[in-house]
Amino acid sequence: MNEHFIRIKALEGELKFSHKKRDFGLTVSTQELVYQRPHANYHIKLADIISITPFEFPVGAKPMRIRREGAGGSETVSVQSGMQHYRIYAKEATLHNRSGIFKLSMVQFVLPVLHDLLLAISRYGGLDAVT
């Protein structure tokens, strides 16, 4: 686990799954999903998730790093093929970083999500698969 992760101080609901890698972590409870990056946690209430769709990298896409800078600081994201990625749309999320806690509206994340975590998110979030 990355030493720069901010500890999750409060988790709504009962903890169900937690998956940590070097650069990111995902934690699922009965009421929320927490996406962890070094120096930042994004709390997304499962009830606020609008949709989760598979994300496919374009054919021939190479691993990339994206650096974003803004008023709240900067973040570098690594996108690599391998694990299945999903695009998660939510009405809102809460960002907790070293500068404070901020509300975000209409957010989307493209995240690598393990199958068991995806099942927990859909089960506790009341989401149904559409084929």
Side-chain angles (χ1 to χ4, degrees):
M1 190 165 99
N2 192 316
E3 65 188 42
H4 299 291
F5 282 172
I6 296 173
R7 194 172 133 249
I8 299 173
K9 293 184 169 96
L11 184 66
E12 291 185 27
E14 180 184 334
L15 176 65
K16 291 300 179 182
F17 289 98
S18 186
H19 178 237
K20 303 284 192 273
K21 296 286 257 180
R22 191 184 75 182
D23 291 333
F24 76 95
L26 292 173
T27 299
V28 178
S29 76
T30 55
Q31 294 183 20
E32 71 180 325
L33 165 68
V34 179
Y35 169 46
Q36 289 184 280
R37 299 271 312 142
H39 308 292
N41 291 340
Y42 296 89
H43 292 257
I44 307 161
K45 292 183 190 283
L46 297 182
D48 289 338
I49 295 176
I50 297 168
S51 70
I52 301 175
T53 55
F55 179 81
E56 297 295 329
F57 291 99
V59 175
K62 297 178 181 173
M64 64 178 136
R65 292 179 63 80
I66 301 168
R67 182 161 175 83
R68 180 186 70 83
E69 294 188 31
S74 65
E75 180 175 5
T76 302
V77 178
S78 297
V79 179
Q80 298 181 355
S81 58
M83 189 181 213
Q84 176 63 53
H85 284 64
Y86 293 89
R87 184 185 312 261
I88 299 173
Y89 285 100
K91 289 186 275 189
E92 64 181 36
T94 302
L95 167 61
H96 176 204
N97 65 20
R98 303 212 186 271
S99 297
I101 297 174
F102 307 93
K103 287 283 188 190
L104 307 171
S105 60
M106 294 308 296
V107 295
Q108 69 173 319
F109 299 91
V110 175
L111 305 172
V113 181
L114 292 173
H115 184 70
D116 290 342
L117 286 167
L118 186 64
L119 291 176
I121 293 167
S122 64
R123 177 179 176 195
Y124 298 109
L127 300 171
D128 295 318
V130 177
T131 55

